[in-house]
Structure formats: structure tokens, C-alpha cells
Amino acid sequence: MSTLPPDTAPALPTLPEGPLDLRLVLVDMDGTLLDEHGEVPEPTWAMIDRLRERGIVFAPASGRQLHTLTAAFERVAEGMVFVAENGCLVVRDGEEISSTVLDTPFVLDVLDTLDGLVADGHDLGVVVCGKASAYVSRTDERFWAEASRYYARLTAVDDQRSVLDGSAGIEDEIVKIAVYSFEDVEKQVAPALLHHRDPHQVVVSGHAWVDLMPPGANKGVAVRALQSSLGVTPAQTAAFGDYLNDLEMLRAVDLSFAMAEAHPAVVEAAAYRAPSFRDHGVLTVLEELLARLG
């Protein structure tokens, strides 16, 4: 969903007067940092080095799996912070900063609901996301290709319930359930899952994905935990996002940027706009922010 044509890059916003004190940068991946090919733009590596030289922490903040994020940033991963699984898992240099997990009865209840949707003819796939791996029981090439884009460590099991009761010989903590729909996820699948809210989270995290997460889990909660761990304030934090799962993150920082193609609710929540991901908008804004450092 776009609020501007894809090739429209809004002018850089007017930033606060005076020098900036920037200590932490949080960046969503899909539709934000990644280019139109789903790759990290090559100039990103030099930018991360420049940020580190200024003592600024760069942290990918994504619905993607931790193992997917660490693989994407392998060449610069040492010392990095990763906000994974929409904030359910935050890790710095291999050490867990914060995490939230789902209780087994809730996961089983959700799986029952999803089985019912499939029986009613909905074309969807389910990923049960653990800290150690993600687990799927649908393994056709069509769905596997979509799931493996976001989950570098993906394990096929006959029944996802076997991960919970130990019958698969797996010990893991479940942090999220992700549902991929080949239909309109926001209109046809997400509404059928809304009764699982309160206190759990049901969040549309992309054009085809909806995530079910523990109570109080979101990117904003993770960002605040990270800020506390690093001794950083919202005024010293910048964040970039484009979709509904970025809302809480943007509200947790003062320098909040909605991308050119951002969902209207994200545009409303952000203080500033950034150019399109197709034009490396995150890097363009970071250049401006670095030029404004005190």
C-alpha cells in the first residue's frame, strides 16, 4: 500500500534546529532498508562503519528471524544489535538483551484456528517461530520459497504441535506465530485471528504476513529495553519504518521517519518522511543526520 507513487521521493524533512546527539539507529528491513531486489544496498556497509566511528549503534529491527538478520549482516555483525521477530527477541553480539515467549495453550489454540481457516479453503502457511529455529509443516515449493526468505533456519515437522509437546525431540521457546497468506491478509486472514488479541498481539506485518505475539511484545517495547540497556534516550534515537509493525518503534523515538511508500498510519505516526527505499532513502537521511551531529 503506497501513499505516493513508487518513484516519488519526498524532500528531506526539516530537522530540529541545532546539532543532533545521535546514539542509536533502528532500521526496518523490507520496504525500508532493503532495495527493490530484497538486498542490503552496498553503501550500507560504509555507512555502518561511519556510524560506529561516531559511537552510534546501528540495529536492524525486523519481523525476520534472528538467524536471517545475522546472516544478512554477517560481514559487520560483530558488536551489532538485532531486534528480531518484531521485537520478541533482542540480541547484541550473541547475548540476549530481552525476549518474550508464547505460552503453549495459546499456540495450540491459534493452530486450531488456522487449521479451521485452511479447512474453509484459505490458502495460507504457518511458521511457528522459536529462538533456535522456525518450524513449518507445509513444505510445498510455493510456500517454502516465501518462508525461507525471512527464516534462514527453517525446520520441517510433520505436526507443529510436536515442537510444543516434545514428541519431535525439539526443545525450543516459541516467540511468535507468523502466517503467510496467498490472499489479502489484511482483509481475509487477520480478521479471523482478532479474537486471539487481548492480551496477545495480532499485527499485520506486511502485505502477506500477519504475526501473533506475546502480550506487550512489539518493536517499541524492544526499543525501550534496548535504550535502557545502552543508556540512550528517545531524543538520541532515530528509527525508520514503513508498515504497521513499525508503529510502536516509531513512537518510541524522537527522530522517527516514515518511508515514501509507508502505510498511511505509519506516515501519521512518524515525525518525518524519508525518500523511497528504491532511492536508498535510509542512507540519504543518515547522511543528513551525520552532517548535523554536534
Side-chain angles (χ1 to χ4, degrees):
M1 183 180 300
S2 299
T3 57
L4 293 171
D7 58 352
T8 300
L12 283 178
T14 301
L15 294 170
E17 293 295 327
L20 298 175
D21 179 17
L22 184 63
R23 306 290 180 86
L24 174 61
V25 174
L26 297 136
V27 181
D28 176 53
M29 296 286 282
D30 298 276
T32 301
L33 177 65
L34 300 184
D35 63 21
E36 62 269 30
H37 306 294
E39 302 292 337
V40 177
E42 188 62 29
T44 303
W45 312 119
M47 175 58 71
I48 292 174
D49 287 340
R50 291 172 61 194
L51 292 171
R52 282 177 166 172
E53 290 170 1
R54 301 298 296 267
I56 301 168
V57 175
F58 178 89
S62 173
R64 292 178 177 232
Q65 182 186 47
L66 174 64
H67 305 293
T68 305
L69 294 177
T70 55
F73 291 90
E74 183 178 9
R75 60 199 284 185
V76 293
E78 185 176 352
M80 277 188 68
V81 173
F82 296 97
V83 179
E85 306 284 14
N86 278 329
C88 293
L89 182 60
V90 183
V91 171
R92 184 179 192 184
D93 214 14
E95 295 295 327
E96 184 176 302
I97 292 177
S98 65
S99 67
T100 51
V101 299
L102 290 170
D103 57 278
T104 295
F106 175 78
V107 176
L108 294 174
D109 191 23
V110 171
L111 291 177
D112 287 343
T113 297
L114 293 170
D115 283 348
L117 290 176
V118 172
D120 288 340
H122 290 280
D123 189 5
L124 54 85
V126 182
V127 184
V128 173
C129 309
K131 290 183 178 181
S133 182
Y135 307 94
V136 297
S137 56
R138 176 174 174 173
T139 58
D140 59 283
E141 184 177 352
R142 185 165 170 247
F143 172 63
W144 189 274
E146 295 295 339
S148 60
R149 290 175 58 198
Y150 302 94
Y151 299 91
R153 190 172 294 179
L154 198 58
T155 302
V157 294
D158 291 335
D159 184 347
Q160 289 162 311
R161 292 169 179 80
S162 67
V163 177
L164 304 170
D165 63 19
S167 60
I170 296 170
E171 292 185 10
D172 204 350
E173 292 180 289
I174 306 305
V175 297
K176 189 183 76 177
I177 302 170
V179 183
Y180 183 90
S181 174
F182 291 97
E183 308 163 3
D184 187 326
V185 71
E186 196 166 356
K187 293 181 180 179
Q188 297 190 31
V189 177
L193 297 171
L194 292 182
H195 69 280
H196 290 292
R197 293 186 305 180
D198 300 327
H200 293 83
Q201 310 287 314
V202 178
V203 180
V204 177
S205 58
H207 296 289
W209 289 95
V210 60
D211 293 335
L212 296 100
M213 304 184 297
N218 57 60
K219 290 185 184 182
V221 171
V223 168
R224 290 186 177 93
L226 179 57
Q227 288 168 331
S228 176
S229 174
L230 298 175
V232 170
T233 68
Q236 295 169 320
T237 310
F240 299 79
D242 76 308
Y243 221 76
L244 299 175
N245 60 327
D246 298 316
L247 285 171
E248 292 86 357
M249 174 176 71
L250 296 176
R251 292 170 178 152
V253 311
D254 287 3
L255 295 169
S256 56
F257 294 86
M259 306 304 293
E261 298 86 355
H263 190 288
V266 175
V267 174
E268 184 177 354
Y272 308 104
R273 298 298 298 277
S276 171
F277 68 91
R278 295 177 174 86
D279 299 318
H280 300 177
V282 169
L283 301 179
T284 301
V285 173
L286 288 177
E287 286 282 0
E288 180 72 11
L289 295 179
L290 284 175
R292 296 285 305 278
L293 293 182

